[in-house]
Amino acid sequence: MSKDLKPLDDLEMFELLKAAYPERFPDEEDATWEAAQQFADEISGWDAIADLLGRVVMLSMPMKSGLTERLSHCLGAVSVRGGAVQMEAAVRRDFHAPEVQA
């Protein structure tokens, strides 16, 4: 795996599963954490899902932060407030421009 690709850590995985399945994981209780881990294990195993989603986040369109000017790949819950689209990123990875082969 390249330096830019890394599996999700436990907290990123939990936050992303909550964003993807709000009806299944509605709160922050310990039972919800355990249910999310069990759910990922049932799909294909926690490590396999964390690796897959770590790769998927790198396929997302890089976004520029209005505060820091950093470009990042992000996945998370999206909301629209006052005509502005915002994301609460569950996962964020720095964008690195790929090297161009001549």
Side-chain angles (χ1 to χ4, degrees):
M1 183 180 289
S2 83
K3 67 178 179 122
D4 295 338
L5 298 174
K6 67 177 187 174
L8 273 58
D9 64 31
D10 290 350
L11 183 57
E12 290 172 328
M13 180 77 129
F14 178 64
E15 292 297 328
L16 194 55
L17 285 173
K18 280 185 8 182
Y21 296 94
E23 71 285 353
R24 186 174 265 243
F25 310 113
D27 54 44
E28 300 284 338
E29 295 179 11
D30 288 343
T32 302
W33 175 271
E34 292 165 10
Q37 288 182 327
Q38 182 178 1
F39 178 68
D41 282 338
E42 289 170 2
I43 292 173
S44 184
W46 184 270
D47 292 337
I49 297 297
D51 179 66
L52 172 66
L53 293 175
R55 292 168 183 272
V56 168
V57 73
M58 297 305 289
L59 298 174
S60 68
M61 176 67 81
M63 295 186 287
K64 188 175 188 177
S65 168
L67 295 175
T68 65
E69 303 280 314
R70 284 172 54 184
L71 285 171
S72 302
H73 297 279
C74 301
L75 288 178
V78 176
S79 62
V80 179
R81 294 186 193 111
V85 178
Q86 298 178 333
M87 175 187 287
E88 183 177 332
V91 181
R92 190 197 67 74
R93 300 284 189 270
D94 288 333
F95 170 77
H96 300 283
E99 294 180 19
V100 178
Q101 301 290 326

